[in-house]
Amino acid sequence: MPSTVPSETKFRLAVLASGGGSNADKICSYFKTHPSINVVIIISNRRHAGVFDVAAKHDIQSAYIPKNQWEDSEPVFELLQQNRITHIILAGFLLHIPEWLIQTFPKKIINIHPALLPRFGGKGMYGHHVHEAVKAVGDLVSGITIHEVNERYDEGRIIFQKEVELDPSDSPKEIGAKVLKTEHTEYPRVIEKWILG
Ligand code: GRF
């Protein structure tokens, strides 16, 4: 599907997602009529990821790039270059970001983590694993962290954090739902501020 984004758009986002894409959905809505920032493409490493429905809903072009094609820079790099991508937004993207991509977009890749880093971060800490770990230690506060991406998992410069209050009776699923709600309200405007300063 060709891009429907005006070619003069100054800041051009690629959203990378592996799952349902509820964050991608909020980001696409937020920037739909933005004067200088637009989502140009959604890329997933999962052929049947729900995020493709999000792309179709917003009439945004999408691409499936399987896991084994990420380490070799060519297919991804070409796609990003053709679309003159300026910033990369990770929204539930579960693949390791290869070093070549970080070097090609220094300080221009952002991620959201569903907890208050540095707690509950690192390899293997994603999705329900995070909320189960929070429940296991009995924390009554969790939250979100939005950070730049560098070579080490969840260790890039923290841009924004927000706490989410929990109830002692919350299940990991309920913790996840509360945290996700906060992600939806905060991620788009934090991205905007990060880009525009
Ligand atoms: C979110 O909780 C995000 O923090 C994490 O992955 C989840 C993605 O959810 N990195 P969705 O696909 O945006 O619904």
Side-chain angles (χ1 to χ4, degrees):
M1 193 200 301
S3 174
T4 52
V5 173
S7 61
E8 67 275 13
T9 295
K10 196 167 173 199
F11 300 109
R12 303 170 64 84
L13 312 184
V15 175
L16 274 47
S18 303
S22 66
N23 276 289
D25 186 30
K26 301 292 174 193
I27 293 165
C28 290
S29 295
Y30 190 85
F31 291 113
K32 196 158 235 165
T33 54
H34 196 281
S36 59
I37 305 173
N38 289 140
V39 178
V40 176
I41 188 167
I42 293 179
I43 306 176
S44 183
N45 61 309
R46 293 228 174 111
R47 191 189 292 277
H48 301 295
V51 76
F52 287 118
D53 296 334
V54 172
K57 170 181 154 192
H58 291 281
D59 203 15
I60 286 172
Q61 71 165 316
S62 58
Y64 160 60
I65 301 193
K67 185 178 176 193
N68 61 7
Q69 287 185 28
W70 285 83
E71 291 299 328
D72 161 22
S73 60
E74 235 176 89
V76 186
F77 182 72
E78 266 179 29
L79 202 55
L80 298 174
Q81 206 186 31
Q82 273 164 16
N83 286 287
R84 294 183 290 115
I85 296 304
T86 59
H87 295 75
I88 296 178
I89 313 298
L90 307 184
F93 187 65
L94 297 181
L95 279 190
H96 174 249
I97 300 299
E99 219 166 300
W100 70 262
L101 189 52
I102 292 167
Q103 280 160 12
T104 313
F105 287 86
K107 299 190 187 344
K108 296 282 189 286
I109 308 178
I110 196 173
N111 182 41
I112 188 162
H113 186 79
L116 296 171
L117 291 174
R119 300 188 73 217
F120 309 110
K123 205 163 185 223
M125 272 294 177
Y126 61 89
H128 64 97
H129 300 290
V130 176
H131 309 305
E132 279 159 11
V134 170
K135 177 74 187 176
V137 297
D139 280 5
L140 288 182
V141 174
S142 188
I144 67 168
T145 303
I146 298 171
H147 64 95
E148 284 177 358
V149 174
N150 66 13
E151 291 79 4
R152 289 177 306 279
Y153 266 112
D154 298 334
E155 286 185 30
R157 181 177 75 90
I158 291 177
I159 294 164
F160 177 87
Q161 290 190 302
K162 185 168 184 176
E163 292 186 351
V164 173
E165 276 185 33
L166 305 178
D167 194 88
S169 67
D170 283 341
S171 66
K173 212 171 160 187
E174 286 164 331
I175 297 173
K178 283 184 177 175
V179 170
L180 190 62
K181 204 168 155 204
T182 303
E183 295 183 38
H184 291 166
T185 52
E186 301 297 336
Y187 203 16
R189 63 167 201 86
V190 172
I191 292 169
E192 181 183 35
K193 200 159 173 235
W194 171 64
I195 294 174
L196 299 181

